[in-house]
Amino acid sequence: MKSPVPPFLERIQTETRATRERMARELFGLDAVRGAVASAAAKGLDLVALRPPLPVDLRETQAARAAVKHLRDSGFSTEWESYMGETDGRRDTGWELRVTW
């Protein structure tokens, strides 16, 4: 009989996706994005970089896709740029969303 508990790898992959979706909702929620853009504009800037708290790839999350669509539909330019960050003493590649106007 097969155990009702999902295999370890599947559980870890599911947890990773769920955590990335949560991080993306916090970073790329429309209120957060609009606030970051408005704050940068109030400083005279014409660019804002939205960077996750850890070097991870949030590009394929629902929140990131929705934010990019909203920004582009509103006339902003967006691009994803990689950066190097550190996690637990190891260097990792992450992706930040750069918004220009």
Side-chain angles (χ1 to χ4, degrees), residues 55-72:
V56 294
D57 186 355
L58 301 178
R59 293 176 293 173
E60 296 304 318
T61 61
Q62 291 179 359
R65 287 189 302 239
V68 167
K69 181 180 182 336
H70 173 74
L71 288 163
R72 288 183 179 165

Side-chain angles (χ1 to χ4, degrees), residues 13-88:
Q13 290 170 332
T14 299
E15 183 176 336
T16 299
R17 283 190 301 274
T19 299
R20 288 181 178 181
E21 288 289 345
R22 180 185 49 75
M23 290 170 70
R25 282 192 304 272
E26 292 171 6
L27 182 61
F28 301 124
L30 295 185
D31 288 340
V33 169
R34 287 179 174 198
V37 168
S39 178
K43 295 174 187 170
L45 301 173
D46 61 0
L47 175 143
V48 67
L50 303 172
R51 181 179 283 194
L54 295 170
V56 294
D57 186 355
L58 301 178
R59 293 176 293 173
E60 296 304 318
T61 61
Q62 291 179 359
R65 287 189 302 239
V68 167
K69 181 180 182 336
H70 173 74
L71 288 163
R72 288 183 179 165
D73 288 351
S74 300
F76 292 88
S77 296
T78 64
E79 68 178 342
W80 291 98
E81 187 168 306
S82 66
Y83 69 94
M84 294 301 295
E86 193 170 303
T87 308
D88 298 329

